[in-house]
Amino acid sequence: MDTNAHAVHQESVHQERETRKKPLSRRRVLALSGGALVAAGCTQGEERPRERAGDSPDARAAAEGPDGVLGANFNEDPDSVTFGELRGVSASWIRGFVPMPEVTADASRQRAIERLLDAHHLGYGTVLSLKFPYNHRPIPGPGSSAMTEELARVDRVLHAVLDTVDVLAIGNEPFIESLPRDRRSGALNRFYETVAEHIVAYRRPLRN
């Protein structure tokens, strides 16, 4: 690399770093059925440690919005992606999903959620998807006891992540994670509409 090219490269790196220091310009809320996005911004989430496994608090600047950025997806295995690897490829966003049956009383201790909360405090943009695995059993209907139990798990996740993760996706792969008859009957739509409405209702008092 000649001197001029090196100088241009260094200036580009400097501009990229400065861009990452800008905070997210806004929080987005989109509530749609069938795995669409709810962008969450929250004061409700639990306070998390700022450092993890040798990463310094200023390891990453606050992430920009997701347009044109490089991100990593770990699905349900947060150990498959390290913050060192993200830094190495200049990735500023990270995404994973939480299998909802794994959610216990303290959702912040679920592995995928815990990793995304840590990533947030290191300045990464974060995307969390809620995975409802109903490909081997009927999907709950509104008002049923099974739906009540599912929404209680949703509440635990919301308590941990609202206003902390940047994007909350209501669903993971709904058409794979459901039975054909539930897709044909409209039960799939009703389920995700109910979850979306519940999240909007949960979030509204936090915004007033």
Side-chain angles (χ1 to χ4, degrees), residues 100 103 107 130 132 147-162 168 170 191 194-196 198-199 202:
M100 293 303 289
V103 174
L130 309 182
F132 300 97
M147 178 64 84
T148 298
E149 292 174 3
E150 198 69 82
L151 294 179
R153 283 188 285 269
V154 170
D155 285 348
R156 295 180 198 124
V157 174
L158 297 179
H159 180 75
V161 307
L162 272 184
L168 178 66
I170 305 173
F191 174 82
T194 300
V195 173
H198 181 82
I199 292 174
Y202 182 103

Side-chain angles (χ1 to χ4, degrees), residues 80-137:
S80 66
V81 177
T82 69
F83 294 125
E85 290 171 331
L86 294 178
R87 288 195 302 275
V89 297
S90 298
S92 57
W93 280 71
I94 184 170
R95 178 263 177 191
F97 68 72
V98 52
M100 293 303 289
E102 292 185 6
V103 174
T104 59
D106 185 0
S108 68
R109 298 305 179 188
Q110 197 279 334
R111 292 171 61 246
I113 293 174
E114 185 174 29
R115 176 56 61 90
L116 290 175
L117 294 176
D118 290 336
H120 166 80
H121 287 297
L122 290 172
Y124 291 91
T126 52
V127 181
L128 175 64
S129 297
L130 309 182
K131 178 176 180 176
F132 300 97
Y134 283 101
N135 49 321
H136 298 299
R137 54 185 173 138

Side-chain angles (χ1 to χ4, degrees), residues 3-175:
T3 303
N4 290 337
H6 179 72
V8 170
H9 173 72
Q10 290 298 103
E11 178 63 21
S12 174
V13 170
H14 174 73
Q15 291 176 353
E16 182 181 0
R17 287 173 178 167
E18 289 301 310
T19 297
R20 290 193 190 117
K21 291 179 183 177
K22 299 176 184 177
L24 285 170
S25 57
R26 63 190 177 95
R27 301 291 187 186
R28 292 160 295 280
V29 182
L30 300 171
L32 303 174
S33 63
L37 301 181
V38 170
C42 334
T43 49
Q44 186 76 1
E46 297 292 336
E47 186 65 24
R48 303 289 302 149
R50 289 183 59 85
E51 295 185 73
R52 209 67 174 167
D55 290 291
S56 62
D58 58 351
R60 301 293 303 176
E64 276 294 313
D67 291 344
V69 301
L70 179 63
N73 173 39
F74 62 71
N75 281 328
E76 64 182 314
D77 182 11
D79 294 332
S80 66
V81 177
T82 69
F83 294 125
E85 290 171 331
L86 294 178
R87 288 195 302 275
V89 297
S90 298
S92 57
W93 280 71
I94 184 170
R95 178 263 177 191
F97 68 72
V98 52
M100 293 303 289
E102 292 185 6
V103 174
T104 59
D106 185 0
S108 68
R109 298 305 179 188
Q110 197 279 334
R111 292 171 61 246
I113 293 174
E114 185 174 29
R115 176 56 61 90
L116 290 175
L117 294 176
D118 290 336
H120 166 80
H121 287 297
L122 290 172
Y124 291 91
T126 52
V127 181
L128 175 64
S129 297
L130 309 182
K131 178 176 180 176
F132 300 97
Y134 283 101
N135 49 321
H136 298 299
R137 54 185 173 138
I139 205 163
S144 66
S145 59
M147 178 64 84
T148 298
E149 292 174 3
E150 198 69 82
L151 294 179
R153 283 188 285 269
V154 170
D155 285 348
R156 295 180 198 124
V157 174
L158 297 179
H159 180 75
V161 307
L162 272 184
D163 284 337
T164 302
V165 299
D166 296 290
V167 178
L168 178 66
I170 305 173
N172 182 56
E173 293 180 312
F175 296 104

